Structure formats: structure tokens, C-alpha cells
Amino acid sequence: MSQAMDKVLNVDVCVIGAGSGGLSVAAGASQMGAKVALVEKADMGGDCLNTGCVPSKALLAAAHAAQSMRDAGFFGVQSQVPEVDWKQVYDHVHGVIAAIAPNDSQQRFEAMGVIVIRAAGRFEDERTLRAGDRLIRAKYFVLATGSSAFVPPIDGLQDVDYFTNENIFDNSEAIEHLIVIGGGPIGMEMAQAHLRLGAKVTVVEMGRLLMKDDPELTKVVIDRLASEGMNFYEGGRDLRIEKVADGKITVRCQIDAGERCAVGSHLLIATGRRANVNGLNLDAAGVVYSPKGVEVDARLRSSNRRVFAIGDVAGPYQFTHMAAYQAGVIIRNVLFKLPAKVDYSAVPWVTYTDPELAHVGMSEADAIKAGKEVRVLRWKFEDNDRAQAERRTEGMVKVITTPKGLILGASIVGLHAGELIQPWILAVSQKLKIGAVASMIAPYPTLAEVNKRIAGSFYTQKLFSNTTRWIVRFLMRF
Ligand SMILES: Cc1cc2nc3c(=O)[nH]c(=O)nc-3n(C[C@H](O)[C@H](O)[C@H](O)COP(=O)(O)OP(=O)(O)OC[C@H]3O[C@@H](n4cnc5c(N)ncnc54)[C@H](O)[C@@H]3O)c2cc1C
């Protein structure tokens, strides 16, 4: 062992992983005056910046630009079949990553006083981590090592080339027919992006498409994607993959009694995520974990009280905003010594297909499962004047309240649903009643009026007949 290797770095907090969660903890802790080491084995910024949220949304933005050319005819503007230069599209994606990267960079964190070590971290014992030629002893460790694409054992997969989120954004060649295995948010976003950019797309899903969301709302997304030409094999079993003569890939599956077969030029595996627990020597640190991730309590502490875990490696929600939320909980525990606990009652998420799909809090199915007596409110985008003007009338809001109007949850499908869900996140987290949203003045004509209208329907549904409701709705416009 060299002398340099023996040199021990003593810090207050050692964060392993410089992604959404790790960066938030490192920035927060160093700004509070703690001595912080940040260990990262690959690119600063983690999945979200390099292979997740940012490139996927940039690719979708390009795809939506292409679609608006096709849809221009609705407005009396000559519609066109877009000509897509795939290389330039992917250059745009990398340009967006480059524009955001300085926020997550080593230089920025070093300027904050964080000691950034670019190496893989591995525990030596309960208080010591090795990273390259450094040994780090810390009062607290924060595991923020994220997750990786889970690749299931599908017959024949080993014989073909395939994309995951880790390499698809490095592609620069035209894709003729993309077969996406996995119809969750990542699979569906990538499927629509490539479809709108001109590829043929088939999605093969073993269960239900967009399984974590309300089927009443996911239907709106699926119908739209189908109308744009996407092909779905939902409930596909016994998947088999084969390479065929001209470099094409065949994916076969069973649905009910029949066999389905798609022949594509490229394959994307989007079948979920696997927590990054390997290689950390967690056993040496006395940290209990499983393939699902590090086991943590409500304070995000692992079985080793000095070791916390955050983000995708801890779960239960694998979103950037959840990693950032958990970072706040860890800062309060570690630096302020407060027994702060996570509260998952108002967790929002958005699937960035077009139309978008957004949710917070309790769904109708959750309420039924919990045996709660609830009111379920529904409001369609077709009743919104702005949606009519934009010719985007597909969509709806669904809100779950108690019989007395306490807001328990909301889901929205439609144009900009990810923006429209924001007041409901506030409402659920602050335990507001429906009257708070109903009494708000919403600017006319905005899509966000759907929120006021659905809240108002809580009272009109109770008081009036259908006809009178229509009159009230009309009067509410003024
Ligand atoms: C295609 C895609 C799209 C997504 N879109 C969205 C979205 O729109 N909105 C959203 O909220 N979420 C989205 N997500 C999820 C989001 O990216 C993750 O939830 C988020 O990145 C998790 O942050 P994290 O800090 O836990 O992990 P990461 O951001 O992945 O960071 C983990 C870091 O730890 C490093 N690391 C791992 N092991 C070690 C080790 N032993 N030593 C040192 N370093 C190590 C890794 O190299 C990595 O940089 C998307 C994910 C994907 C794949």
C-alpha cells in the first residue's frame, strides 16, 4: 500500500454518487459549513443529466416540433411531413446536456468547497470508504448511487444489439422501426419521441401499458399514440427475440392464444430499473440491502446509523424530485440533528408523452383499496375554451376528495398536465379543501381553468341538475 493510499481524509459527510440526490446533499451540507467529500465514478450529474430526464425531454421536444408540422393543417397552415436529420436531433440532445452540465460540474462543487473525488467508492469497514487512492473516514455517509437499466432474461436477447437508456442518446443513425420492450413511462416517452421523429414503433408490454397510472387516464395517452401510428402488444408473454438475415430483429410474443411478431431495425429495453448496490462492499459497512436497494427507515438511515441512502438506490419512488426531497430530509437529520422523516403522502409524477400524464396523492384505486368513502370528480378538457382554441381537447382531470371536500389526490391527462398538476400538489401537501381551488380566480382563457372548474363541480354536482350545471358553468366564465 503506497503512502498516498494510507492518507486518510476525514470529513463530516461523504456522499457516494454525484447524481440528483448526491449533488443536492453535497451542495446543502457544504453550504451549511460541513466538510463534504463527493465520490463519483462516472459523469457528474448522474442519470438525470446524462442518460435520463434531460436527454429524454430534449428528444421529446424535437419530436413535438416535428409533430407540430404534421398538425399545422388544423389551423389553416399548410401541414408538412417533417424531414428529420437524426444526427442533428441527437446533437441538439447533447447540446441541452452541455448547457445544463455546468450546474452539476466538478468545478462548481469544488468552488462550493466540496472535495470531489472521481473514483468508484467501496467500503472498507463501517466508517471507512476507499475511492481510488483515497481512504475517507466520515461522520456520515450518504449512498446516492442511483439505478441502472434492468435487462430481463429474454430468450435470444443475448444474440442481438439493443439500446437501453444508457446508450440510446448516443445513437446518431436513422431508426426505421424501433421495437420497445417495456410500456412504462420511460418506454412510452422514448416510443413517442421516435415515432414523431419518423420511425415506425412497436411497444411490447408484458402487463398493462403505463401500469402505475389510472387506466381511465392512460387510455387517453394510448389512444393518441395509436392514432399517431404506434403499434402495441399489451399483455405479451413468452417473449422471444431473433436476429434475422438483413440485420433486422424479430420479437415474438403470445397474447391470449395467438402469436404476435414484430420485425424491427432497432430494439430498446425499458423494462424497469435495478438499484446500484453492487461493488460498494455494503456488507463490510454493515448495510442491509437487497436487489431492490438499500433498506432505510423513515429517516432514510440504513442498518448502519452512520450510513444514509437516498434516491433510486433507496426508493421507493425513482424520480429526480424525490431524490431532491429526500436530500432535505437527510440534511435535517445529519446537520441539524432533527429526527426528520419522509412523508410520501403528496408524491407527484409526470409522464412526458403528449398528452402528458400527471398524478399526485391518492388515486381512485388507492381509495377503494383503503376502503375510504370518497367523492370522485371528473372534468374534460373539451369543456375548456383554451383547449378548443389550441385544438387539444383530448384530456381530463380527475380529483379524489373526502365527502367533506378534503383533497386526497388528483390526476390529469392532457396538454401540459405536468404544469396543471402543480396546484393539486400544494393542495394535497397542505391538506387543503376543494373550496380553496374553487374560489381561486383563474385567468381566462387558460388550460389551468380546468382545475377551478373541476373544483366547482364538487358543489354543482351536489346542488344542481345537469341543465342548471351547464348554466352555472357558463356564468362562471364571466
Ligand atoms: C430515460 C429516463 C428518463 C427519466 N426521466 C425522468 C423525469 O422526467 N423526471 C424524473 O423525476 N425522473 C426521471 N428519471 C429518473 C431519474 O433520472 C432518477 O430518479 C434520478 O436520476 C435518481 O437520482 P439518484 O441521485 O438516485 O441517481 P443518479 O442520478 O443515477 O446518480 C447516481 C450516481 O452514482 C454514481 N455511482 C454509482 N455507484 C458508484 C460508486 N460505487 N462509486 C461512485 N459513484 C457511484 C453513478 O455513476 C451516478 O452518477 C428518468 C430516468 C431515466 C432512465
Side-chain angles (χ1 to χ4, degrees), residues 16-22 39-43 45-48 51-53 56-57 119-122 144-147 165 169 186 189-190 273 276 278-280 310-313 318-321 323 350 352:
I16 306 131
S20 312
V39 179
E40 171 54 59
K41 69 173 183 183
D43 291 334
D47 248 11
C48 185
T51 53
C53 333
S56 58
K57 266 78 261 181
R122 182 180 165 81
T145 52
S147 64
N165 72 295
F169 302 111
I186 294 175
E189 286 181 9
M190 289 300 89
R273 311 286 304 163
N276 290 335
N278 293 335
L280 286 157
I310 183 177
D312 284 13
V313 77
Q318 294 185 318
F319 302 115
T320 282
H321 47 276
V350 179
Y352 296 88

Side-chain angles (χ1 to χ4, degrees), residues 242-256:
E242 244 180 288
K243 200 172 188 166
V244 283
D246 50 358
K248 295 246 162 61
I249 297 161
T250 306
V251 177
R252 292 174 204 279
C253 65
Q254 289 290 128
I255 298 180
D256 302 325

